[in-house]
Amino acid sequence: MARIVMKFGGTSMAGIERIRRVAQIVKQQADAGHDVAVVVSAMAGDTDRLVNFCREASSLYDPAEYDVVVASGEQVTAGLLAIALQSLGAKARSWLGWQMPIRTIEAHSKARIESIDAAALTAAMQSGEIAIIPGFQGISEDGRITTLGRGGSDTSAVAIAAAVKADRCDIYTDVDGVYTSDPRIVTRARKLKTVTFEEMLELASVGAKVLQTRSVGLAMKEGVRIQVLSSFSEEGSPVADDLPGTMIISEDEMETDDMESQLITGIAHDKNESKITLTRVPDRPGAVANIFAPLADAAINVDMIIQNVGREKGETDVTFTVPSADLDQAMQVLEGAKENIGFNRLIPDSNVAKISVVGVGMKSHAGIAATMFKALAERGVNIQAITTSEIKVSVLIEEDYTELALRVLHTAYGLDAADAA
């Protein structure tokens, strides 16, 4: 028998009927003899509704009180799921973040988990009790409720799995696993049986929406095996142990034959990127630091960076990307630092998308990037910027070509499912 942490997202908890379905899935695992803890998100749309309440109450709201409000969504679903399980004859109890406790550090609304005292929780699980835990929340050093930021319930689930030394963490979503690309766009996308932590971390960071980046990083650090599967399976379907989801595991666990045969694991896209170009920046030591230091001070993440060859007049153009949500703030910061930077024009462009190919096979095979560049060139897709890592190549293209680029690259790397329409 195993110790399992199960996590259900907002779409899985969207209404009493879906919560009842979740209760049946959870009870199946408990009836199979496993020790079970469940982490839940708020009902789909509830967190946005609560955030809007805070903004309507005051544009300058107190972040600590903001956390009190937005954390209530998960508290509701935790209590409702416990009630639903009890109605099925299961022994269940809800645990709030402060009751364990889940201790966090750093600022409200973007806290990070520091430690979890899991002794009482582990004892409860061993006694046959199903523990229901609100995701996304914890408690600060001064005893206040904190929240972990968007997607924080995934991180909560992985952290709890590490704390109770779970055999795995099952993440239930509205998809039945991790695919080679977005199946809504690429009809020939295939579901993957296994993905390494490293690959999943790259896929999550470049646009794949299946798992939150922080949760994958934590799982890799703590060695928590993750299974991604769907909560929308038919009633009476097999328990998670027998369902064909996707396992996120260490590279050591991955079969050597699988790694050698599959050069590229997946292709992801991200339309939430914007490009900024600064023209006629002085071509001298320290000039680039003058650009990116104020952006860093404003907590704005910069991704792709291109610096053109210097001109005869000792000037150059610098192009980089930032999250689209931070574009206006980035422009404001740069305009404020214009005199120190010394650029001529600031040119924004939000009509761009980032396309990334990811795979551990890149470590031992050449020509991956060349295949990407050739396939896009043959279809007339212009590349505006490039970044690489040991297992990833990303390019920036015009947003209108996103779907074409995904399909072309999926075919170019031999990822198409043979039996797809």
Side-chain angles (χ1 to χ4, degrees):
M1 296 301 102
R3 180 170 297 166
I4 302 169
V5 173
M6 308 169 72
K7 183 264 174 178
F8 293 89
T11 54
S12 302
M13 305 297 292
I16 296 299
E17 287 307 313
R18 288 191 178 176
I19 290 174
R20 287 195 180 112
R21 175 63 188 134
V22 166
Q24 292 170 346
I25 295 172
V26 172
K27 189 172 183 294
Q28 275 187 300
Q29 292 288 14
D31 288 347
H34 301 310
D35 294 342
V36 178
V38 185
V39 175
V40 295
S41 297
M43 293 186 189
D46 264 17
T47 300
D48 288 337
R49 181 176 62 88
L50 294 169
V51 168
N52 288 333
F53 282 158
C54 292
R55 290 172 176 165
E56 289 174 11
S58 172
S59 58
L60 299 173
Y61 51 75
D62 178 356
E65 299 304 335
Y66 167 92
D67 277 356
V68 172
V69 174
V70 298
S72 65
E74 283 74 13
Q75 180 172 321
V76 169
T77 50
L80 289 173
L81 181 56
I83 291 171
L85 280 164
Q86 290 166 3
S87 72
L88 295 176
K91 183 181 176 184
R93 174 192 167 192
S94 64
W95 296 65
L96 300 187
W98 59 268
Q99 291 175 304
M100 298 180 57
I102 300 173
R103 301 197 179 278
T104 65
I105 55 176
E106 295 189 24
H108 285 279
S109 80
K110 49 185 175 182
R112 291 184 175 271
I113 296 173
E114 181 178 37
S115 65
I116 297 177
D117 184 349
L121 177 64
T122 301
M125 294 170 67
Q126 289 174 332
S127 72
E129 179 181 285
I130 301 171
I132 317 297
I133 304 150
F136 179 61
Q137 67 173 243
I139 184 172
S140 66
E141 291 182 1
D142 58 359
R144 300 287 301 182
I145 290 176
T146 57
T147 61
L148 308 182
R150 287 292 183 175
S153 292
D154 284 353
T155 302
S156 298
V158 171
I160 290 166
V164 301
K165 296 179 172 54
D167 293 279
R168 70 171 190 266
C169 179
D170 290 343
I171 305 288
Y172 286 82
T173 69
D174 52 2
V175 295
D176 59 350
V178 180
Y179 281 73
T180 50
S181 192
D182 188 337
R184 294 168 298 183
I185 298 175
V186 182
T187 58
R188 289 182 177 271
R190 294 183 289 107
K191 184 169 65 177
L192 297 162
K193 181 181 178 182
T194 54
V195 176
T196 67
F197 288 128
E198 195 175 6
E199 289 171 325
M200 194 66 237
L201 190 60
E202 289 282 18
L203 286 168
S205 69
V206 296
K209 303 297 192 297
V210 178
L211 291 173
Q212 189 217 31
T213 306
R214 278 171 60 190
S215 69
V216 181
L218 181 60
M220 181 165 63
K221 174 177 174 288
E222 299 293 339
V224 176
R225 303 170 85 244
I226 298 176
Q227 182 175 205
V228 178
L229 31 71
S230 174
S231 61
F232 296 95
S233 54
E234 295 296 326
E235 190 170 342
S237 61
V239 293
D241 308 81
D242 302 317
L243 287 175
T246 299
M247 290 296 301
I248 316 298
I249 56 179
S250 69
E251 194 171 317
D252 292 339
E253 284 187 83
M254 187 75 75
E255 293 182 11
T256 304
D257 290 344
D258 290 343
M259 292 175 61
E260 290 292 334
S261 63
Q262 190 64 65
L263 300 184
I264 299 302
T265 297
I267 303 173
H269 72 288
D270 188 357
K271 293 184 178 181
N272 298 313
E273 295 263 336
S274 290
K275 182 177 69 172
I276 294 176
T277 300
L278 301 181
T279 67
R280 299 179 60 182
V281 176
D283 188 16
R284 61 171 183 257
V288 174
N290 291 337
I291 297 172
F292 298 113
L295 292 173
D297 292 340
I300 297 173
N301 291 323
V302 175
D303 186 11
M304 299 178 162
I305 302 173
I306 295 177
Q307 181 173 345
N308 295 333
V309 177
R311 301 172 181 173
E312 292 182 2
K313 296 181 180 180
E315 297 174 338
T316 186
D317 294 342
V318 177
T319 298
F320 54 92
T321 62
V322 299
S324 293
D326 294 332
L327 177 60
D328 291 342
Q329 184 186 6
M331 292 175 63
Q332 185 178 14
V333 167
L334 292 169
E335 289 289 0
K338 182 174 183 178
E339 184 175 345
N340 189 41
I341 298 171
F343 65 86
N344 180 39
R345 295 177 60 207
L346 187 161
I347 306 171
D349 182 5
S350 58
N351 185 34
V352 294
K354 180 169 64 177
I355 308 295
S356 305
V357 297
V358 176
V360 291
M362 290 187 194
K363 293 181 179 181
S364 55
H365 291 79
I368 301 296
T371 298
M372 184 182 202
F373 304 153
K374 181 181 178 182
L376 293 176
E378 288 175 348
R379 299 304 294 269
V381 180
N382 185 45
I383 296 173
Q384 302 179 21
I386 304 167
T387 57
T388 64
S389 74
E390 192 176 24
I391 65 165
K392 176 197 72 179
V393 180
S394 296
V395 297
L396 195 70
I397 65 172
E398 188 177 330
E399 183 178 347
D400 294 344
Y401 289 98
T402 302
E403 295 186 6
L404 172 63
L406 286 174
R407 295 189 185 108
V408 165
L409 293 175
H410 200 269
T411 300
Y413 288 110
L415 297 176
D416 291 351
D419 58 348

